[in-house]
CSV table of all heavy atoms in Angstrom, one decimal:
chain,number,residue,atom,x,y,z
A,1,THR,N,152.6,105.4,111.0
A,1,THR,CA,153.5,104.4,111.3
A,1,THR,C,154.0,104.7,112.8
A,1,THR,O,154.5,105.6,113.0
A,1,THR,CB,154.7,104.3,110.4
A,1,THR,OG1,154.1,104.1,109.1
A,1,THR,CG2,155.7,103.2,110.7
A,2,PRO,N,154.0,103.6,113.6
A,2,PRO,CA,154.4,103.7,115.0
A,2,PRO,C,155.9,104.1,114.9
A,2,PRO,O,156.7,103.7,114.1
A,2,PRO,CB,154.2,102.4,115.6
A,2,PRO,CG,153.1,101.7,114.8
A,2,PRO,CD,153.4,102.2,113.4
A,3,THR,N,156.3,104.9,115.9
A,3,THR,CA,157.8,105.3,116.3
A,3,THR,C,158.1,104.6,117.5
A,3,THR,O,158.6,103.5,117.4
A,3,THR,CB,158.0,106.7,116.2
A,3,THR,OG1,157.1,107.3,117.1
A,3,THR,CG2,157.7,107.3,114.8
A,4,PHE,N,157.8,105.2,118.7
A,4,PHE,CA,157.9,104.6,119.8
A,4,PHE,C,157.2,105.6,120.9
A,4,PHE,O,157.0,106.7,120.5
A,4,PHE,CB,159.3,104.3,120.3
A,4,PHE,CG,160.2,105.4,120.3
A,4,PHE,CD1,160.3,106.3,121.6
A,4,PHE,CD2,161.0,105.7,119.3
A,4,PHE,CE1,161.1,107.3,121.6
A,4,PHE,CE2,161.9,106.8,119.3
A,4,PHE,CZ,162.0,107.7,120.5
A,5,SER,N,156.9,105.0,122.0
A,5,SER,CA,156.3,106.0,123.0
A,5,SER,C,157.3,106.1,124.2
A,5,SER,O,158.1,105.2,124.5
A,5,SER,CB,155.0,105.5,123.5
A,5,SER,OG,155.2,104.2,124.0
A,6,GLY,N,157.3,107.2,124.9
A,6,GLY,CA,158.2,107.4,126.1
A,6,GLY,C,159.3,108.1,125.7
A,6,GLY,O,160.2,107.6,124.9
A,7,ARG,N,159.5,109.3,126.3
A,7,ARG,CA,160.7,110.2,126.0
A,7,ARG,C,161.9,109.6,126.4
A,7,ARG,O,162.0,108.9,127.4
A,7,ARG,CB,160.4,111.5,126.5
A,7,ARG,CG,161.3,112.5,126.0
A,7,ARG,CD,160.8,113.9,126.5
A,7,ARG,NE,159.4,114.2,126.1
A,7,ARG,CZ,158.7,115.2,126.5
A,7,ARG,NH1,159.3,116.2,127.4
A,7,ARG,NH2,157.5,115.4,126.1
A,8,GLY,N,163.0,109.8,125.6
A,8,GLY,CA,164.4,109.3,126.0
A,8,GLY,C,165.2,110.4,126.5
A,8,GLY,O,165.0,111.1,127.5
A,9,ASN,N,166.2,110.9,125.6
A,9,ASN,CA,167.1,112.0,125.8
A,9,ASN,C,166.9,113.0,124.7
A,9,ASN,O,167.2,112.7,123.6
A,9,ASN,CB,168.5,111.5,125.8
A,9,ASN,CG,168.9,110.4,126.8
A,9,ASN,OD1,168.9,110.6,128.0
A,9,ASN,ND2,169.0,109.1,126.2
A,10,LEU,N,166.4,114.2,125.3
A,10,LEU,CA,166.2,115.3,124.3
A,10,LEU,C,167.5,116.0,124.0
A,10,LEU,O,168.2,116.4,125.0
A,10,LEU,CB,165.2,116.3,124.8
A,10,LEU,CG,163.7,115.9,125.0
A,10,LEU,CD1,162.9,116.9,125.4
A,10,LEU,CD2,163.2,115.3,123.6
A,11,VAL,N,167.9,116.2,122.7
A,11,VAL,CA,169.2,116.8,122.4
A,11,VAL,C,168.9,117.8,121.3
A,11,VAL,O,168.4,117.7,120.3
A,11,VAL,CB,170.1,115.6,121.7
A,11,VAL,CG1,171.4,116.3,121.4
A,11,VAL,CG2,170.3,114.5,122.6
A,12,VAL,N,169.3,119.1,121.8
A,12,VAL,CA,169.2,120.3,120.9
A,12,VAL,C,170.5,120.4,120.1
A,12,VAL,O,171.5,120.5,120.8
A,12,VAL,CB,168.8,121.5,121.7
A,12,VAL,CG1,168.7,122.7,120.9
A,12,VAL,CG2,167.6,121.3,122.6
A,13,ALA,N,170.4,120.6,118.8
A,13,ALA,CA,171.6,120.8,118.0
A,13,ALA,C,172.3,122.2,118.5
A,13,ALA,O,171.4,123.2,118.5
A,13,ALA,CB,171.2,120.8,116.6
A,14,PRO,N,173.4,122.2,118.7
A,14,PRO,CA,174.1,123.3,119.3
A,14,PRO,C,174.4,124.4,118.4
A,14,PRO,O,174.6,124.2,117.2
A,14,PRO,CB,175.3,122.7,120.0
A,14,PRO,CG,175.7,121.6,119.1
A,14,PRO,CD,174.4,121.0,118.7
A,15,GLY,N,174.6,125.6,118.8
A,15,GLY,CA,175.1,126.8,118.1
A,15,GLY,C,176.6,126.9,118.3
A,15,GLY,O,177.3,126.0,118.4
A,16,GLU,N,177.0,128.2,118.3
A,16,GLU,CA,178.4,128.4,118.2
A,16,GLU,C,179.0,129.1,119.4
A,16,GLU,O,180.2,129.2,119.6
A,16,GLU,CB,178.8,129.1,117.0
A,16,GLU,CG,178.4,128.5,115.7
A,16,GLU,CD,178.8,129.3,114.5
A,16,GLU,OE1,179.2,130.5,114.7
A,16,GLU,OE2,178.7,128.7,113.3
A,17,ARG,N,178.1,129.7,120.3
A,17,ARG,CA,178.6,130.4,121.3
A,17,ARG,C,178.0,130.0,122.8
A,17,ARG,O,176.9,129.5,122.8
A,17,ARG,CB,178.3,131.9,121.2
A,17,ARG,CG,178.8,132.6,119.9
A,17,ARG,CD,178.6,134.0,119.8
A,17,ARG,NE,177.3,134.4,119.7
A,17,ARG,CZ,176.8,135.7,119.7
A,17,ARG,NH1,177.7,136.6,119.8
A,17,ARG,NH2,175.5,135.9,119.7
A,18,ASP,N,178.7,130.4,123.9
A,18,ASP,CA,178.1,130.0,125.2
A,18,ASP,C,177.4,131.3,125.7
A,18,ASP,O,177.4,132.3,125.1
A,18,ASP,CB,179.2,129.6,126.1
A,18,ASP,CG,180.4,130.5,126.4
A,18,ASP,OD1,180.1,131.8,126.0
A,18,ASP,OD2,181.3,130.2,127.0
A,19,LEU,N,176.8,131.1,127.0
A,19,LEU,CA,176.1,132.1,127.6
A,19,LEU,C,176.8,133.4,127.8
A,19,LEU,O,176.2,134.4,127.4
A,19,LEU,CB,175.7,131.6,129.0
A,19,LEU,CG,174.8,132.6,129.8
A,19,LEU,CD1,173.6,132.9,129.1
A,19,LEU,CD2,174.5,131.9,131.1
A,20,SER,N,178.1,133.4,128.1
A,20,SER,CA,178.8,134.6,128.3
A,20,SER,C,178.9,135.5,127.0
A,20,SER,O,178.8,136.6,127.0
A,20,SER,CB,180.1,134.3,128.9
A,20,SER,OG,180.1,133.7,130.2
A,21,ALA,N,179.3,134.8,126.1
A,21,ALA,CA,179.4,135.4,124.7
A,21,ALA,C,178.1,135.9,124.2
A,21,ALA,O,178.1,137.1,123.6
A,21,ALA,CB,180.1,134.5,123.7
A,22,ILE,N,177.1,135.2,124.4
A,22,ILE,CA,175.7,135.7,123.9
A,22,ILE,C,175.2,136.9,124.7
A,22,ILE,O,174.8,137.8,124.0
A,22,ILE,CB,174.7,134.5,124.1
A,22,ILE,CG1,175.0,133.3,123.0
A,22,ILE,CG2,173.3,135.0,124.0
A,22,ILE,CD1,174.2,132.0,123.3
A,23,LEU,N,175.5,136.9,126.0
A,23,LEU,CA,175.0,138.1,126.8
A,23,LEU,C,175.9,139.3,126.4
A,23,LEU,O,175.3,140.4,126.3
A,23,LEU,CB,175.3,137.8,128.3
A,23,LEU,CG,174.3,136.8,128.9
A,23,LEU,CD1,174.7,136.6,130.4
A,23,LEU,CD2,172.8,137.2,128.8
A,24,ALA,N,177.1,139.2,126.1
A,24,ALA,CA,178.0,140.3,125.8
A,24,ALA,C,177.5,140.9,124.4
A,24,ALA,O,177.6,142.1,124.2
A,24,ALA,CB,179.4,139.9,125.6
A,25,ASP,N,177.0,140.1,123.6
A,25,ASP,CA,176.5,140.5,122.2
A,25,ASP,C,175.0,141.1,122.3
A,25,ASP,O,174.7,142.1,121.6
A,25,ASP,CB,176.6,139.3,121.1
A,25,ASP,CG,176.2,139.8,119.9
A,25,ASP,OD1,176.8,140.9,119.4
A,25,ASP,OD2,175.4,139.3,119.2
A,26,VAL,N,174.2,140.4,123.1
A,26,VAL,CA,172.8,140.8,123.2
A,26,VAL,C,172.8,142.2,123.9
A,26,VAL,O,171.9,143.0,123.5
A,26,VAL,CB,171.9,139.9,124.0
A,26,VAL,CG1,170.6,140.4,124.3
A,26,VAL,CG2,171.8,138.5,123.1
A,27,GLY,N,173.5,142.5,124.9
A,27,GLY,CA,173.5,143.7,125.5
A,27,GLY,C,172.5,143.8,126.7
A,27,GLY,O,172.7,143.4,127.7
A,28,ASP,N,171.2,144.3,126.3
A,28,ASP,CA,170.1,144.5,127.2
A,28,ASP,C,169.1,143.4,127.1
A,28,ASP,O,168.7,143.1,125.9
A,28,ASP,CB,169.5,145.8,127.1
A,28,ASP,CG,170.4,147.0,127.4
A,28,ASP,OD1,171.6,146.7,127.9
A,28,ASP,OD2,170.1,148.1,127.1
A,29,CYS,N,168.8,142.7,128.3
A,29,CYS,CA,167.9,141.6,128.1
A,29,CYS,C,167.4,141.2,129.4
A,29,CYS,O,167.8,141.7,130.5
A,29,CYS,CB,168.4,140.4,127.3
A,29,CYS,SG,169.8,139.7,128.2
A,30,VAL,N,166.6,140.2,129.5
A,30,VAL,CA,166.3,139.5,130.8
A,30,VAL,C,166.9,138.0,130.8
A,30,VAL,O,166.6,137.3,129.8
A,30,VAL,CB,164.7,139.5,131.2
A,30,VAL,CG1,164.5,138.7,132.4
A,30,VAL,CG2,164.3,141.0,131.3
A,31,LEU,N,167.7,137.7,131.7
A,31,LEU,CA,168.2,136.4,131.8
A,31,LEU,C,167.4,135.5,132.7
A,31,LEU,O,167.3,135.9,133.9
A,31,LEU,CB,169.7,136.5,132.3
A,31,LEU,CG,170.3,135.1,132.7
A,31,LEU,CD1,170.4,134.3,131.4
A,31,LEU,CD2,171.7,135.3,133.3
A,32,ILE,N,166.7,134.5,132.2
A,32,ILE,CA,165.9,133.6,133.1
A,32,ILE,C,166.8,132.5,133.5
A,32,ILE,O,167.4,131.8,132.8
A,32,ILE,CB,164.8,133.1,132.3
A,32,ILE,CG1,163.8,134.3,131.9
A,32,ILE,CG2,164.0,132.0,133.1
A,32,ILE,CD1,162.4,133.8,131.2
A,33,THR,N,166.8,132.3,134.9
A,33,THR,CA,167.5,131.2,135.6
A,33,THR,C,166.6,130.1,136.1
A,33,THR,O,167.2,129.0,136.3
A,33,THR,CB,168.5,131.8,136.7
A,33,THR,OG1,167.6,132.5,137.6
A,33,THR,CG2,169.5,132.7,136.1
A,34,SER,N,165.4,130.4,136.3
A,34,SER,CA,164.4,129.3,136.6
A,34,SER,C,163.0,129.8,136.4
A,34,SER,O,162.6,130.9,136.3
A,34,SER,CB,164.6,129.0,138.2
A,34,SER,OG,164.3,130.1,139.0
A,35,PHE,N,162.2,128.8,136.1
A,35,PHE,CA,160.7,129.0,135.9
A,35,PHE,C,160.0,128.5,137.3
A,35,PHE,O,160.4,127.5,137.9
A,35,PHE,CB,160.2,128.3,134.8
A,35,PHE,CG,160.7,128.8,133.5
A,35,PHE,CD1,161.8,128.2,132.8
A,35,PHE,CD2,160.0,129.8,132.9
A,35,PHE,CE1,162.3,128.7,131.6
A,35,PHE,CE2,160.5,130.3,131.7
A,35,PHE,CZ,161.6,129.7,131.0
A,36,MET,N,159.0,129.3,137.7
A,36,MET,CA,158.2,129.0,138.8
A,36,MET,C,156.8,128.8,138.5
A,36,MET,O,156.1,129.8,138.3
A,36,MET,CB,158.4,130.2,139.9
A,36,MET,CG,159.9,130.6,140.2
A,36,MET,SD,160.0,131.9,141.3
A,36,MET,CE,158.9,131.5,142.6
A,37,GLY,N,156.3,127.6,138.5
A,37,GLY,CA,155.0,127.3,138.3
A,37,GLY,C,154.5,127.7,136.8
A,37,GLY,O,155.3,127.8,135.9
A,38,GLY,N,153.2,128.0,136.8
A,38,GLY,CA,152.7,128.5,135.5
A,38,GLY,C,152.0,127.3,134.7
A,38,GLY,O,151.9,126.1,135.3
A,39,ASN,N,151.5,127.5,133.5
A,39,ASN,CA,150.8,126.4,132.8
A,39,ASN,C,150.9,126.8,131.3
A,39,ASN,O,151.1,127.9,130.9
A,39,ASN,CB,149.4,126.2,133.3
A,39,ASN,CG,148.6,127.6,133.2
A,39,ASN,OD1,148.2,128.0,132.1
A,39,ASN,ND2,148.5,128.2,134.4
A,40,SER,N,150.6,125.8,130.6
A,40,SER,CA,150.4,126.0,129.1
A,40,SER,C,149.3,125.1,128.6
A,40,SER,O,149.0,124.1,129.1
A,40,SER,CB,151.7,125.6,128.3
A,40,SER,OG,152.0,124.2,128.5
A,41,ASP,N,148.6,125.5,127.5
A,41,ASP,CA,147.4,124.9,127.0
A,41,ASP,C,148.0,124.1,125.7
A,41,ASP,O,148.5,124.6,124.7
A,41,ASP,CB,146.5,125.9,126.5
A,41,ASP,CG,145.3,125.3,125.9
A,41,ASP,OD1,145.2,124.3,125.4
A,41,ASP,OD2,144.1,125.9,126.2
A,42,SER,N,147.8,122.8,125.8
A,42,SER,CA,148.4,121.9,124.8
A,42,SER,C,147.5,122.0,123.6
A,42,SER,O,148.1,121.6,122.5
A,42,SER,CB,148.3,120.4,125.3
A,42,SER,OG,147.0,120.0,125.5
A,43,THR,N,146.4,122.6,123.6
A,43,THR,CA,145.7,122.7,122.3
A,43,THR,C,146.0,124.0,121.6
A,43,THR,O,146.0,123.9,120.4
A,43,THR,CB,144.2,122.7,122.8
A,43,THR,OG1,143.8,121.5,123.3
A,43,THR,CG2,143.2,122.7,121.4
A,44,THR,N,146.1,125.0,122.3
A,44,THR,CA,146.3,126.2,121.6
A,44,THR,C,147.9,126.7,121.7
A,44,THR,O,148.3,127.4,120.8
A,44,THR,CB,145.6,127.4,122.3
A,44,THR,OG1,146.0,127.6,123.6
A,44,THR,CG2,144.0,127.0,122.2
A,45,GLY,N,148.6,126.2,122.7
A,45,GLY,CA,150.0,126.7,122.9
A,45,GLY,C,150.1,127.8,123.8
A,45,GLY,O,151.3,128.4,124.0
A,46,ASP,N,149.0,128.5,124.2
A,46,ASP,CA,149.1,129.6,125.0
A,46,ASP,C,149.8,129.2,126.4
A,46,ASP,O,149.5,128.2,127.0
A,46,ASP,CB,147.7,130.2,125.3
A,46,ASP,CG,147.1,130.8,124.0
A,46,ASP,OD1,147.9,131.2,123.1
A,46,ASP,OD2,145.8,130.9,123.9
């Protein structure tokens, strides 16, 4: 059954904490602030 074509506004259901609270709890990690190029395979997801 057709829905529609053409993306509108993507909305992610939110959690409970912001970035500062999450980082304080995670402790050690890599924080990504931007992506630079790259690619993905739409067939496999790689």
Side-chain angles (χ1 to χ4, degrees):
T1 301
T3 54
F4 60 86
S5 58
R7 196 170 300 174
N9 304 287
L10 295 181
V11 182
V12 180
E16 299 180 353
R17 304 188 296 175
D18 64 9
L19 175 62
S20 297
I22 288 172
L23 289 179
D25 186 51
V26 170
D28 297 351
C29 64
V30 175
L31 170 63
I32 292 182
T33 56
S34 65
F35 291 95
M36 302 175 60
N39 56 78
S40 60
D41 188 320
S42 64
T43 304
T44 64
D46 293 338

